[in-house]
Amino acid sequence: RRLRVFSFYPAAGISRGEFRKAVYGMLSELLDAADKRGFTLCHENEKGIYGQSPESERELLEMFGGRLRAVLDNGNFPFCGEDASGAYETLKDYVEYMHIKDRDSDGIHVTPGMGNACLADTLAKIDADRDGDFILTVEPHLMMFTGLSSLSDTDDIKHKYSFSSSYDAFAFAVEELRKIINGIRS
């Protein structure tokens, strides 16, 4: 019943105020349609869109009074030049689930726990704050994948490690995530 969505990229020459108004209007329409069908829209922070920083993401979520939820992607914050360390605290009232992805200080994709996404600290805070299950989706971007170029400008997407297959990359990311979680639970 959850649908991941993104806000929008600004049109050339549009002011911040005009952009905000357009984003709020379009997301309002999407939320109305989702409400009628029993879906919850979960907005993911992404480079270049309205909601790329923890503060602008919170502003966006607050605008809709809890109707719009958050997919926390701490790996996207360093990609935008944003500090990921306080993102969970800023957004925790709205976080529905979390993507697991990491980037280093140069914005290069690295395995979970090896970059600046503050994954171990964030997962420890989530574990301390919440009872019951919490959804983690592993989206490590350790290799280029089919369709990425239609979602993002691939010129600024770089990888530090190489893998023989996407299966190997994914399996390695999951193993590194397990190490983080085991470290929190021990």
Side-chain angles (χ1 to χ4, degrees):
R1 306 301 310 168
R2 296 175 186 94
L3 297 175
R4 177 176 69 160
V5 297
F6 299 88
S7 74
F8 305 92
Y9 293 101
I14 192 171
S15 73
R16 176 88 172 151
E18 292 170 313
F19 182 39
R20 179 187 306 116
K21 184 177 178 181
V23 167
Y24 287 176
M26 290 183 285
L27 282 175
S28 182
E29 288 180 34
L30 290 172
L31 283 163
D32 289 345
D35 289 347
K36 288 178 187 172
R37 291 165 179 82
F39 290 104
T40 299
L41 298 187
C42 301
H43 183 267
E44 180 181 337
N45 54 288
E46 176 72 29
K47 184 178 182 180
I49 65 172
Y50 200 92
Q52 81 170 13
S53 72
E55 296 75 23
S56 64
E57 174 77 352
R58 181 163 179 108
E59 174 193 316
L60 187 62
L61 298 165
E62 286 177 342
M63 172 62 189
F64 296 104
R67 289 175 61 209
L68 183 63
R69 306 297 295 166
V71 176
L72 181 62
D73 190 334
N74 269 23
N76 280 343
F77 292 125
F79 194 42
C80 303
E82 299 286 340
D83 182 6
S85 64
Y88 173 70
E89 288 88 354
T90 300
L91 302 170
K92 72 179 179 178
D93 295 338
Y94 300 95
V95 173
E96 192 75 13
Y97 65 99
M98 183 176 180
H99 277 325
I100 300 299
K101 173 186 345 170
D102 210 342
R103 287 196 167 99
D104 69 10
S105 58
D106 295 321
I108 297 173
H109 287 283
V110 294
T111 56
M114 302 301 286
N116 293 338
C118 304
L119 295 176
D121 289 344
T122 301
L123 290 169
K125 289 172 185 170
I126 290 169
D127 188 51
D129 281 352
R130 296 173 182 242
D131 293 324
D133 293 335
F134 183 76
I135 298 169
L136 302 175
T137 55
V138 181
E139 188 179 286
H141 289 272
L142 295 175
M143 295 181 72
M144 293 303 282
F145 59 89
T146 305
L148 180 60
S149 61
S150 67
L151 301 173
S152 182
D153 177 7
T154 57
D155 291 340
D156 60 354
I157 297 177
K158 298 181 180 21
H159 302 92
K160 188 164 272 188
Y161 308 103
S162 68
F163 297 90
S164 59
S165 70
S166 51
Y167 175 83
D168 290 340
F170 187 78
F172 189 75
V174 168
E175 187 55 36
E176 293 304 302
L177 174 59
R178 285 186 176 130
K179 289 177 186 175
I180 293 169
I181 292 169
N182 289 337
I184 292 167
R185 297 281 170 105
S186 60

